Amino acid sequence: MAPSRARLLLVEDEPTISVAMARLLDRWGFDTVPARTGAEASAILAQTGVDVVVIDLRLPDMRGDEVFHRLCREHPDLAPRTMFMTGDFGEQALAAIEQTGRPYLLKPFELGIFVHELRVLLNPVKGPESNGHGEAEGGSSAGVTAA
């Protein structure tokens, strides 16, 4: 029996980024459920179970930290399995994310690092079984960068 695939809610308003990330994450064992807005993310969470959530800070209807606070109220079990990503390097943006206490990556980031962080969120005690490149720790491989 094949291991189950983790279901990831990706809250990202840029369609090209969302589609590209979903394709790459599929190769690494994740089923991606896309949401383009905070409201859409809330509707998905009300109907679909997910294992991990990734939220872009800048969304058309609300900031990502607001999505996170809503998630904490409505689905508190997902709060420790949530991370942020942002291309906003501004002091206010980073402060808003840091106040949530959740990990984040700045765009563009290496996909291997992203997958590693996702695996840590899914299994914080054991940690990831690979380095995010599908190899055992200590292996070498070329990284893939997501924009």
Side-chain angles (χ1 to χ4, degrees):
M1 184 174 164
S4 64
R5 293 168 57 93
R7 184 175 291 165
L8 180 148
L9 174 61
L10 177 61
V11 188
E12 166 62 64
D13 63 315
E14 294 290 334
T16 54
I17 293 173
S18 182
V19 169
M21 288 183 71
R23 286 181 182 156
L24 292 167
L25 289 167
D26 178 64
R27 293 182 196 163
W28 290 15
F30 291 87
D31 289 330
T32 303
V33 179
R36 304 263 191 261
T37 65
E40 188 178 349
S42 292
I44 289 169
L45 287 171
Q47 299 178 4
T48 306
V50 300
D51 301 302
V52 63
V53 179
V54 178
I55 307 169
D56 187 17
L57 183 64
R58 298 282 179 203
L59 298 168
D61 61 341
M62 64 182 76
R63 282 193 344 205
D65 58 322
E66 295 172 46
V67 176
F68 176 74
H69 293 304
R70 182 181 293 178
L71 177 142
C72 289
R73 286 190 306 274
E74 298 172 5
H75 308 278
D77 58 309
L78 285 174
R81 291 178 280 135
T82 299
M83 70 178 293
F84 289 90
M85 60 182 180
T86 187
D88 187 342
F89 293 73
E91 222 175 281
Q92 282 185 312
L94 297 179
I97 293 173
E98 288 172 357
Q99 286 178 355
T100 68
R102 303 309 312 142
Y104 63 93
L105 291 175
L106 298 173
K107 297 178 193 174
F109 49 81
E110 188 197 279
L111 192 60
I113 293 170
F114 179 53
V115 171
H116 175 84
E117 292 296 325
L118 293 174
R119 290 180 177 160
V120 169
L121 288 176
L122 287 168
N123 196 347
V125 175
K126 184 178 175 188
E129 294 180 8
S130 79
N131 62 6
H133 293 289
E135 298 181 4
E137 292 289 348
S140 65
S141 65
V144 178
T145 302

